[in-house]
Amino acid sequence: MSAGSRAARESRWLPWHAIAVFAFLYLPIVTLIVYSFNGQGVGGFPPRNLTLDWYRMLFADDAIWASVLNSLLVALVAVAIALVFGIPAALALDRANFPGKAAFRRLVLLPLILPGIITGLSLLMLFRQTDVKLSLVTIVLGHGTALISVATTEVFAGLQKLDRAQEEASLDLGANYWQTFWRVTIPNLRLSIIGAALLIFTLSMDEIAVSFFLIGRDNTLPLEIWGRLRRGITPEINAISSIIFVFSLVAIVTWYRLRVGAEGQPEIAAELLET
Amino acid sequence: MATSTESAITNAARPGAEPLLTIRNIAKSFGRNAVLRDISLQVAEGEFLTILGESGSGKTTLLRIIAGFENADSGEIWMGGERLDPLPPYRRRVNTVFQHYALFPHLTVEDNVGYGLRVAKRPKQEIASRVEQALAMVKMTDYARSKPAKISGGQQQRIALARALVNRPRLLLLDEPLSALDANLRRQMQVELKSLQREVGISFVFVTHDQEEAMVMSDRIALLRMGELEQVASPREIYSRPATAYTAQFIGHTNLLHAEVKDGIARCHSLSWRTGFRDGPALFSLRPENIRLAGATAAHDVIRFRAKVRHQAFHGATELLQIECADGLLLSIRTASRENRQGDLDLEFSASDAVPVRESPERN
C-alpha cells in the first residue's frame, strides 16, 4: 500500500473519530439541557410535552436558592483570600531571592496537585482538634487556601511577561515603590488577576471533595444537588444545571474576549509549573 | 591607563562652565566581575556628553548608577551641591529615556507624558498645559489619545522623550534610545535630539555604542573601555588627538605604526618622520585620510613614499585603499573615489598627522 492512499484512508476515519470524541463529551450536556424542558420528567425518549414547569418549580425552591447564595458567597470570599495571598507569593517568586525559595515554590503549588480528599480530610482533622465548628467559614478557608496556588500560577505568568523597565520608568518619573506597584505593576497584571479570579471562582463553585468534609449546616450548591440525587433525579436538577452551564459559558467567553482583545492569543499559565 | 591626576584634569567639565554632575571614583562589580573601576567624570550645565563604549564596557551600568537603579560599590555622585547616590531614583531630579522606551502600555500617550506630574500631584490645569507643550515640542499632539502600541517606534521614541522632559529634570539620561530605529530615521532623530537639547538647555548624558552617533551629537565624548575611561574629549579632539591606540581604532579608521624613536626621528619600516616623542619604542596613529596622493611640490615636513594598491573598497564619495609599501608595510588610505586604481601610487603625509598614542593595557 502506498503512503498516499494510507494517508487518505486515515483522513477518512479522522472526522468520525473526532465526532465520536466530541459526542461523548458534549452529548450528555445537550441531553441534560433538553430534558430540563421535558414534561415527562427525566425518563422517556424522545422528549415530549416541552415545558418550563421545572424552571418554575426551581425558582420556587428556597433550599436550592439558599445553596446558590451560599456557593456564591463561598466563591467570592475564596477569590479574595486566594488573591490576597497568591499575588504577594507570585511577586516573591518572581523578584525576591531568599533561602528556601525552591521549597517555597513547591509548597505554594502543592495544593494544585493534592487530591481534594487529602486537603479536605486534613483540614477536617485540624478543625476537630481546635474545636472549630464546621460552617461556611470552614469551607471558605478550605477553598481559599487550596486555591492560592491557582492565583500564584496565573499572576506569576503575568509577571514573567511584564517588562521591568516599565517599573524603573515609573520610579524614574518620581513615583515611589508603592505608587509604582499600584499604577504600573497591578494594571499590567490586570488580565492575569481577572483570569485567576474567574478560574478560582469557577473551581470553588463546583468544588465537592473539600466541601464535603468541611460542611456544616448550610449546603453549597454542588452538595445540595448531590444530596438530592440520592433521592432520585428530578428535572429540576437538569434545570439548575442548565443555568450553571450557561453562566459558565458566558464567563469563559468574556474572559477569552478580554485576553484576545488585550494581548492576542492567550497562553496557558504553565511557566511556573515547568520551572 | 590614565593616572588619577591626569583623569581628574581631562575629565573635568568645559573650562568656565559650572559642573552640574560630578562622578567621583565610582566602582561597581557584579559578583567577581568588575564592571566599573574608579570612574571620575563631570558633566557641565547644558552639556551633551556621550558615554561611548562597546557592549560590556559598563556604559549602561554607569547610566543606571546615575539614575539610581544600581548602587555603586564605592564612590560618590553629586549634582548641584547635593549628594545623589544615597537617594532612591524617585528623589533624583534626573529622568531617563529607556532603550526600548518603556512606555506604559495601559496608558494613553498623554497619560504617559503626564505620569510624572500626576505622581508629583501638580494641579490638573498645570498638568494639562505642560503635557500639551511637551507633546507640541516633539510634534506628537495629534496622537495624544493613542495607546503606545498603536504608534510607530520613532513616535514612541518622541513620547519617551516628552515624558522625561515634561518633568523639567536637571539632567536627562538616554540609554541607546536610537538603536531600535532604522538608519534614516536614526540620522534624522540625531539631528532633532541635538537641536532639542540646545533648545531646552538641559544637560544630556547619552549612552551609545555607535561612534558616528557620538561624533554627530556630543559636546564631549567619554570613551569607556572595560570599565575604565579611555579618553574624555570633544569629538574633534578625540578624533584628531586620540590618547590611546584603542581610542584611535574605535573612533574612525586608523593605521597604527609601531615605530622606534631616536634623536627626534621616528622610524617604522622605510618610513621616517620628525617627532617630539622621547627615544624608544612608540606607537603612532595615522588616519587613512591624512595619507594623500603626492602633490607636485613637497611641503616642509612631508613624508613621501611609493606603494602598490592591494585592495580597493568603494564607499561612495570616498574609497578606502589597502596599499603595500616596498618593504611589506600595509596601510589604509582614504581618497576621493576614482575607478580602477592600479599599480604604484606616490603618496605623502605630514609628520604632524602621525599622532603618538599610548598602548592600551590589557584588562580583564
Side-chain angles (χ1 to χ4, degrees):
Chain A
M1 191 185 290
S2 76
S5 71
R6 197 178 138 175
R9 207 176 64 127
E10 275 176 4
S11 74
R12 197 163 0 113
W13 284 107
L14 197 60
W16 294 109
H17 181 87
I19 286 169
V21 171
F22 278 114
F24 188 78
L25 275 174
Y26 291 111
L27 217 50
I29 297 177
V30 172
T31 316
L32 177 126
I33 295 173
V34 169
Y35 275 85
S36 72
F37 298 103
N38 187 11
Q40 300 294 307
V42 284
F45 185 84
R48 285 178 294 270
N49 309 335
L50 295 186
T51 172
L52 289 172
D53 281 354
W54 303 116
Y55 286 87
R56 267 181 221 117
M57 198 185 278
L58 173 70
F59 282 102
D61 190 334
D62 290 339
I64 283 269
W65 290 111
S67 74
V68 167
L69 275 182
N70 288 341
S71 271
L72 284 174
L73 198 68
V74 166
L76 285 175
V77 181
V79 166
I81 291 177
L83 287 179
V84 164
F85 290 95
I87 294 173
L91 283 166
L93 285 175
D94 183 51
R95 337 208 127 168
N97 264 320
F98 49 91
K101 185 174 173 181
F104 176 69
R105 176 167 56 211
R106 294 198 181 100
L107 277 178
V108 167
L109 294 181
L110 194 59
L112 210 57
I113 45 174
L114 218 56
I117 281 194
I118 308 278
T119 313
L121 192 59
S122 45
L123 280 171
L124 177 63
M125 288 164 85
L126 172 75
F127 291 137
R128 276 283 154 76
Q129 286 293 313
T130 50
D131 278 331
V132 176
K133 244 182 95 191
L134 296 181
S135 66
L136 286 183
V137 176
T138 51
I139 295 187
V140 161
L141 287 176
H143 286 190
T145 48
L147 293 172
I148 287 174
S149 48
V150 173
T152 306
T153 340
E154 274 280 314
V155 174
F156 181 81
L159 281 169
Q160 294 277 294
K161 279 186 271 176
L162 175 65
D163 180 12
R164 292 296 287 276
Q166 270 185 47
E167 288 168 325
E168 286 181 350
S170 167
L171 293 171
D172 189 75
L173 292 166
N176 61 31
Y177 295 102
W178 191 240
Q179 289 169 315
T180 298
F181 179 72
W182 286 109
R183 286 170 177 267
V184 175
T185 315
I186 288 290
N188 273 294
L189 293 177
R190 206 190 87 220
L191 283 174
S192 307
I193 292 172
I194 293 175
L198 286 173
L199 197 56
I200 293 164
F201 187 84
T202 325
L203 289 174
S204 167
M205 276 299 277
D206 75 352
E207 211 285 329
I208 282 202
V210 176
S211 312
F212 184 78
F213 286 97
L214 304 178
I215 196 77
R217 289 175 54 209
D218 301 304
N219 259 345
T220 61
L221 182 60
L223 286 178
E224 177 73 29
I225 293 175
W226 189 77
R228 285 174 185 229
L229 284 179
R230 293 206 295 194
R231 284 177 268 131
I233 301 178
T234 75
E236 209 185 327
I237 302 289
N238 291 27
I240 186 74
S241 306
S242 304
I243 293 176
I244 294 173
F245 175 75
V246 170
F247 266 100
S248 311
L249 206 63
V250 169
I252 290 167
V253 170
T254 312
W255 177 71
Y256 189 83
R257 282 272 169 88
L258 265 176
R259 274 197 100 147
V260 172
E263 52 178 302
Q265 292 299 309
E267 288 164 45
I268 297 160
E271 286 98 327
L272 187 61
L273 292 169
E274 282 161 11
T275 49
Chain B
M1 198 187 308
T3 65
S4 61
T5 45
E6 226 174 353
S7 71
I9 294 162
T10 51
N11 303 351
R14 279 197 313 257
E18 192 68 19
L20 171 71
L21 186 80
T22 304
I23 297 169
R24 262 187 219 145
N25 310 106
I26 287 288
K28 172 77 179 171
S29 307
F30 291 116
R32 287 184 160 188
N33 183 17
V35 179
L36 294 171
R37 323 168 196 221
D38 199 26
I39 301 286
S40 293
L41 186 64
Q42 289 190 333
V43 182
E45 203 78 68
E47 184 180 20
F48 196 124
L49 180 104
T50 297
I51 302 173
L52 176 64
E54 307 174 288
S55 62
S57 60
K59 56 189 190 304
T60 296
T61 305
L62 183 55
L63 197 79
R64 291 174 61 80
I65 289 174
I66 302 173
F69 304 133
E70 305 278 357
N71 290 315
D73 298 339
S74 59
E76 297 174 4
I77 299 177
W78 292 75
M79 189 167 80
E82 182 192 28
R83 180 136 181 217
L84 208 60
D85 52 288
L87 301 179
Y90 51 87
R91 291 210 198 284
R92 304 184 183 201
R93 285 201 57 193
V94 171
N95 285 118
T96 307
V97 175
F98 290 82
Q99 188 168 12
H100 300 289
Y101 322 132
L103 297 179
F104 306 124
H106 59 291
L107 300 180
T108 59
V109 160
E110 58 182 356
D111 286 345
N112 262 283
V113 175
Y115 187 89
L117 299 173
R118 273 201 313 283
V119 169
K121 303 214 166 58
R122 308 304 306 173
K124 276 219 162 65
Q125 284 186 329
E126 183 192 332
I127 297 179
S129 72
R130 276 170 73 175
V131 166
E132 203 184 307
Q133 273 174 28
L135 286 175
M137 176 181 72
V138 294
K139 306 182 191 77
M140 285 294 291
T141 309
D142 294 345
Y143 296 89
R145 300 252 145 77
S146 308
K147 284 282 179 74
K150 304 282 180 204
I151 59 179
S152 72
Q155 291 170 331
Q156 290 182 28
Q157 155 84 73
R158 288 159 193 267
I159 298 308
L161 209 55
R163 183 177 70 172
L165 286 175
V166 77
N167 304 298
R168 298 181 186 148
R170 302 190 64 183
L171 177 67
L172 186 72
L173 307 176
L174 303 101
D175 185 9
E176 306 213 28
L178 306 182
S179 62
L181 305 179
D182 61 59
N184 277 328
L185 190 55
R186 199 161 158 169
R187 269 191 288 277
Q188 185 195 328
M189 283 305 293
Q190 286 169 5
V191 176
E192 275 186 40
L193 208 54
K194 179 67 197 169
S195 64
L196 186 67
Q197 189 258 340
R198 284 212 192 91
E199 196 181 310
V200 296
I202 292 172
S203 304
F204 278 30
V205 172
F206 186 97
V207 159
T208 184
H209 63 271
D210 182 337
Q211 48 105 3
E212 244 180 80
E213 199 163 277
M215 302 275 259
V216 170
M217 293 192 289
S218 321
D219 294 322
R220 282 189 311 154
I221 296 174
L223 181 61
L224 202 57
R225 173 176 166 259
M226 299 178 83
E228 281 186 61
L229 285 171
E230 196 81 4
Q231 188 171 4
V232 184
S234 72
R236 274 176 206 285
E237 190 184 337
I238 209 168
Y239 186 79
S240 58
R241 294 274 151 221
T244 66
Y246 177 82
T247 308
Q249 284 174 309
F250 191 80
I251 297 182
H253 279 278
T254 201
N255 296 295
L256 282 181
L257 304 173
H258 291 266
E260 190 69 33
V261 180
K262 200 166 179 231
D263 301 330
I265 302 290
R267 281 180 201 286
C268 172
H269 292 255
S270 57
L271 301 176
S272 63
W273 61 93
R274 222 181 253 289
T275 174
F277 210 69
R278 62 182 153 65
D279 285 7
L283 198 57
F284 289 82
S285 157
L286 180 60
R287 297 282 182 199
E289 66 273 21
N290 289 334
I291 306 178
R292 303 171 297 267
L293 296 170
T297 54
H300 176 63
D301 258 353
V302 161
I303 296 85
R304 292 193 150 195
F305 62 101
R306 270 178 91 78
K308 234 187 212 44
V309 176
R310 282 283 170 231
H311 185 73
Q312 182 178 15
F314 179 63
H315 284 230
T318 64
E319 61 188 6
L320 210 55
L321 302 180
Q322 204 61 249
I323 57 162
E324 186 179 350
C325 304
D327 54 8
L329 177 67
L330 288 170
L331 295 171
S332 299
I333 69 170
R334 188 184 291 283
T335 64
S337 291
R338 175 153 10 120
E339 264 189 279
N340 285 331
R341 296 225 188 246
Q342 271 168 353
D344 285 1
L345 293 176
D346 282 313
L347 299 163
E348 64 177 31
F349 68 92
S350 308
S352 60
D353 287 329
V355 181
V357 293
R358 285 194 308 275
E359 190 85 64
S360 296
E362 289 295 321
R363 296 188 191 121
N364 46 39

